[in-house]
Amino acid sequence: MAIHKSVIKRQKQADKQQLINKSVKSMLKTLAKKVEQAVEAKNADVAKAAMVKAMKAYDKAASKGILHKSTASRKISRCRPELARYPSPDTSGESINRPF
């Protein structure tokens, strides 16, 4: 056990941050599973909404240093091909308001 006050304080901070990081990583796994389940259920709207939420969470975790930037990017890119199966809504029939 440490004797110095600074070492004791630093250990308490590290333990606290470890719990926070563990919680965030668990949340990221849950969000990824929600995307996967929505894709398997062939529910495009729910899948896209879950994907947006997951992407935002992965980017935030990377910016906070919980995940490496490359790891977050890789996890996001692995989910995207599953969503590519769903066609995007066709906007060719809509009129476009142009100022000229």
Side-chain angles (χ1 to χ4, degrees):
M1 184 69 191
I3 297 171
H4 298 288
K5 283 185 180 181
S6 61
V7 176
I8 293 170
K9 179 180 178 181
R10 193 67 194 133
Q11 185 60 48
K12 281 174 56 178
Q13 290 174 334
D15 291 342
K16 184 177 177 182
Q17 195 60 41
Q18 185 180 14
L19 288 174
I20 293 169
N21 290 349
K22 190 174 183 180
S23 163
V24 171
K25 286 181 182 183
S26 175
M27 180 199 59
L28 292 173
K29 290 177 189 175
T30 302
L31 290 173
K33 286 177 189 175
K34 285 183 181 180
V35 172
E36 189 177 325
Q37 289 171 353
V39 168
E40 287 176 3
K42 297 183 180 171
N43 194 341
D45 295 334
V46 174
K48 288 180 182 179
M51 182 61 191
V52 169
K53 198 172 183 181
M55 285 173 46
K56 186 175 178 180
Y58 273 113
D59 287 337
K60 188 172 181 179
S63 70
K64 299 285 184 184
I66 296 169
L67 288 179
H68 193 271
K69 186 175 141 185
S70 301
T71 303
S73 178
R74 183 180 68 244
K75 301 251 186 196
I76 290 171
S77 68
R78 285 183 179 166
C79 290
R80 283 185 185 256
E82 295 175 2
L83 288 179
R85 290 187 224 150
Y86 299 117
S88 60
D90 185 26
T91 57
S92 61
E94 295 179 7
S95 62
I96 300 173
N97 294 330
R98 295 186 180 173
F100 48 87

